[in-house]
Amino acid sequence: MDSEALKKYSALHPKPAGLTLQYGTAGFRTKAEQLDHVMFRMGLLAVLRSKAVVSTIGIMVTASHNPEEDNGVKLVDPLGEMLHPSWEEYATQLANAEERELQKIITEICQKAAVNQHKDASVFIGRDTRPSSEKLSQSVIDGISVLGGQYHDYGLVTTPQLHYMVCCRNTQGQYGKATLEGYYEKLSKAFTELIKQSPSSGESQRHLKIDCANGIGALKLSEMEPYFPKEVLIHLYNDGSKEKLNHLCGADFVKVHQKPPTGLDMEPNERCCSFDGDADRIVYYYKDATGHFHLIDGDKIATLISIFLKELLAKVGQTLEMAVVQTAYANGSSTRYLEETLKVPVHCVKTGVKHLHHKAQEFDVGVYFEANGHGTVLFSKAAETKIRQLAKEEKDDEKREAAKVLGNMIDLINQTVGDAVSDMLVIEAILALKGLTVQQWDAVYTDLPNRLLKVQVADRRVIDTTDAERRAVTPPGLQEKIDALVKKYKLSRAFVRPSGTEDVVRIYAEADTQENADALAHEVSLAVYHLAGGKGAPPQP
């Protein structure tokens, strides 16, 4: 390691005095002007990680659904997964180090993580469409170069596309070609094969309106459009040509505000969907004949996919174990439908994609989605091998055809991470194959009315939870109080959990009517305020 070069370059990317940041589920995120030193140092860290695992590592410059002024950075591990938790710790240390300590901290990381300095390092870089992203990715490149790493800059890509490239590269092309063309070809070929089987194939065109959050999704969908079969007509809105990224639009806005994005006119019963700013989340919605808005969130997406996969697995006749993984935020109606009607096991884990992904890996087929629309399906190696073999060799026509459909589903799904483009194509294929309208899909079950609130507290650490965040262990008496409140309402449940980022406690409540859900949420928020050190005025109904 050339300590003079490190000193020289580090001085070009100085750390603002007094700034401390924490690497979380979303990597680092803050105002773009505070991130130059972080980007440089994540370039350094990616080189160390690459040497440690002797594989290509990804770096994505994005702040996803945050406002345009923000930016952020996430590292991608060899198989396209999120950075290993022990390295999140190193990322935080390196980002917060004073300049004079940099060399020492790098040496410490190398010792702790057994980094072989003599190995080659390779890093893939991608960025979103924010005005600050190009300059910040240049700072990443400075960091990689100082430590002698090789890099490939993919420029403007969606977050899931970068995850895909990293996985392709490290599986020596088994997962696909590590190019944008490779991604478009793999997905569109699988999608075209699936659509061919649909009852109305070739006659009616399928229209879909897409709100691209004024982000990268619009650019990449227009690049991909020539690859789509002619039956599919996508109409892009909020494509970034006029308005600001994520402003009054995008999946997060639609989910939180339960209303359509600006910049998209909806006719009754038209299928519409929204991506978020870096295209790793998707939600669907429509307006009924009376003008009422209906949101179809991650829970309902997981349910549609589960219904379809369960039918196919039954036809194939193999004993493959399928499960759905949710968090405590999943609507109670979805959990009940999956367990009681569909008879699919449901597992609840802590909030955060890494927990869902990790749990889903335990099954032959693991479906996971957060209610916010981030999710995917994982197939075990054994399940995939079995399905591909049946598609080739099975004598029974029905079984073989079902195995072929499953094989195409495996190719269409981006198993590295939630991917709005891939998830959209999966949903469109299932709706076409099952001949379902968006209303019929929505009617599979009715969401229980719910309410999300937050209460400001002096210190969020006073609340500790268990049972996948569904029960509070501390402060004493809080859970007993919640249990008593929940008993007052029908079909109700409520839970509280500390925010991962700020001193607030998040409250979720659901019940048989909106009025009851609101009342329960309010009463729970008062209990939190009084028992967990609320700040400011007590919550008002």
Side-chain angles (χ1 to χ4, degrees):
M1 183 168 41
D2 181 347
S3 50
E4 280 314 303
L6 181 66
K7 235 194 217 140
K8 189 182 117 190
Y9 270 91
S10 175
L12 298 174
H13 302 283
K15 179 174 100 70
L19 180 71
T20 49
L21 296 168
Q22 176 79 34
Y23 193 102
T25 305
F28 291 112
R29 268 189 213 170
T30 186
K31 293 273 169 275
E33 61 271 12
Q34 300 184 322
L35 279 167
D36 179 52
H37 71 293
V38 173
M39 298 294 172
F40 171 71
R41 292 165 183 206
M42 288 310 101
L44 304 174
L45 190 73
V47 169
L48 302 182
R49 179 71 179 147
S50 174
K51 291 181 178 206
V53 290
V54 198
S55 306
T56 295
I57 293 298
I59 286 199
M60 185 69 198
V61 178
T62 180
S64 189
H65 55 273
N66 280 34
E68 193 174 88
E69 306 71 65
D70 292 358
N71 218 322
V73 58
K74 293 190 254 203
L75 271 73
V76 179
D77 254 359
L79 293 177
E81 24 7 3
M82 296 165 79
L83 182 63
H84 191 277
S86 61
W87 280 73
E88 289 184 5
E89 202 47 49
Y90 302 148
T92 301
Q93 286 169 3
L94 201 55
N96 294 324
E98 294 308 325
E99 227 135 304
R100 58 180 187 282
E101 311 171 312
L102 260 190
Q103 178 91 46
K104 179 168 110 338
I105 287 184
I106 289 172
T107 308
E108 278 171 16
I109 293 171
C110 289
Q111 284 164 348
K112 279 188 208 152
V115 175
N116 182 345
Q117 294 274 22
H118 304 296
K119 293 276 183 212
D120 288 335
S122 146
V123 184
F124 282 0
I125 311 162
R127 65 174 193 271
D128 72 9
T129 56
R130 291 163 195 273
S132 58
S133 291
E134 189 168 4
K135 188 167 172 296
L136 289 174
S137 69
Q138 201 44 60
S139 306
V140 171
I141 290 170
D142 282 354
I144 296 167
S145 306
V146 165
L147 292 187
Q150 298 292 310
Y151 67 88
H152 182 86
D153 183 4
Y154 281 94
L156 292 164
V157 287
T158 70
T159 296
Q161 284 175 333
L162 186 76
H163 284 256
Y164 175 91
M165 309 291 182
V166 171
C167 183
C168 290
R169 170 68 175 261
N170 291 315
T171 55
Q172 284 67 55
Q174 267 178 301
Y175 194 64
K177 284 209 296 272
T179 62
L180 277 172
E181 290 69 38
Y183 173 92
Y184 297 143
E185 277 163 10
K186 179 179 172 181
L187 269 64
S188 58
K189 179 170 173 275
F191 180 67
T192 306
E193 286 300 315
L194 287 165
I195 287 279
K196 268 186 203 156
Q197 310 284 321
S198 81
S200 60
S201 173
E203 35 186 287
S204 63
Q205 291 195 308
R206 299 185 59 80
H207 291 266
L208 175 66
K209 288 185 169 178
I210 308 168
D211 153 33
C212 299
N214 290 311
I216 185 74
L219 285 178
K220 299 298 133 181
L221 276 175
S222 40
E223 282 176 12
M224 193 174 183
E225 213 166 342
Y227 294 85
F228 289 154
K230 61 183 182 309
E231 293 101 303
V232 175
L233 276 186
I234 58 171
H235 308 275
L236 306 184
Y237 296 84
N238 297 323
D239 62 359
S241 57
K242 303 196 241 332
E243 295 294 332
K244 278 172 73 165
L245 176 72
N246 295 325
H247 182 60
L248 303 179
C249 63
D252 197 59
F253 173 85
V254 174
K255 168 78 179 146
V256 171
H257 296 280
Q258 306 266 332
K259 65 180 188 189
T262 48
L264 184 152
D265 290 324
M266 291 165 71
E267 296 300 319
N269 298 327
E270 278 186 331
R271 254 192 347 282
C272 307
C273 67
S274 284
F275 288 12
D276 72 335
D278 63 339
D280 64 358
R281 290 185 189 184
I282 184 170
V283 295
Y284 269 68
Y285 45 92
Y286 68 98
K287 205 165 69 174
D288 64 25
T290 65
H292 185 70
F293 176 79
H294 295 256
L295 175 72
I296 300 179
D297 65 3
D299 300 336
K300 243 178 204 162
I301 293 172
T303 304
L304 178 74
I305 294 172
S306 302
I307 291 170
F308 186 70
L309 292 178
K310 180 149 196 239
E311 284 171 6
L312 287 172
L313 291 169
K315 279 184 190 160
V316 171
Q318 294 296 311
T319 50
L320 294 173
E321 190 191 359
M322 173 171 150
V324 177
V325 186
Q326 297 183 326
T327 70
Y329 286 112
N331 194 279
S333 291
S334 71
T335 314
R336 205 166 289 134
Y337 177 84
L338 288 163
E339 288 181 334
E340 293 169 16
T341 308
L342 207 55
K343 305 272 189 280
V344 170
V346 177
H347 297 267
C348 186
V349 297
K350 282 166 67 171
T351 307
V353 177
K354 57 185 172 194
H355 302 300
L356 290 137
H357 193 91
H358 190 70
K359 186 70 184 171
Q361 287 172 322
E362 294 176 17
F363 308 99
D364 292 316
V365 182
V367 180
Y368 76 81
F369 269 83
E370 290 189 296
N372 65 25
H374 185 285
T376 186
V377 185
L378 305 183
F379 293 85
S380 70
K381 263 284 154 266
E384 184 178 337
T385 307
K386 188 86 202 145
I387 288 162
R388 300 220 189 265
Q389 184 190 349
L390 289 168
K392 279 202 190 79
E393 298 163 13
E394 175 59 54
K395 300 282 181 283
D396 179 276
D397 287 352
E398 194 191 24
K399 280 187 181 175
R400 189 180 62 250
E401 286 310 311
K404 274 189 193 163
V405 173
L406 276 170
N408 283 316
M409 275 316 242
I410 292 172
D411 288 334
L412 185 52
I413 290 163
N414 185 345
Q415 292 185 60
T416 63
V417 72
D419 180 340
V421 175
S422 153
D423 289 339
M424 173 190 88
L425 294 174
V426 167
I427 292 162
E428 289 301 305
I430 294 173
L431 293 176
L433 286 165
K434 290 186 68 63
L436 287 175
T437 64
V438 69
Q439 301 83 331
Q440 289 168 316
W441 171 21
D442 188 30
V444 167
Y445 63 80
T446 306
D447 274 325
L448 282 169
N450 56 82
R451 178 64 64 207
L452 282 161
L453 293 175
K454 50 187 187 187
V455 176
Q456 293 235 303
V457 291
D459 179 4
R460 66 180 185 269
R461 288 170 303 191
V462 301
I463 291 202
D464 193 21
T465 63
T466 183
D467 187 24
E469 303 179 310
R470 289 176 291 190
R471 307 209 35 98
V473 184
T474 62
L478 178 60
Q479 188 58 50
E480 290 74 12
K481 182 73 180 154
I482 294 171
D483 290 342
L485 292 169
V486 165
K487 281 203 182 96
K488 290 166 52 178
Y489 302 97
K490 282 201 194 105
L491 297 175
S492 63
R493 69 184 181 102
F495 67 88
V496 302
R497 54 180 286 272
S499 156
T501 48
E502 46 185 337
D503 276 322
V504 299
V505 174
R506 301 190 188 283
I507 289 151
Y508 178 89
E510 61 185 33
D512 57 345
T513 66
Q514 190 62 57
E515 213 177 352
N516 286 345
D518 290 347
L520 177 57
H522 174 64
E523 290 173 313
V524 171
S525 71
L526 281 174
V528 168
Y529 179 85
H530 291 301
L531 293 168
K535 264 174 68 177
Q540 295 303 308

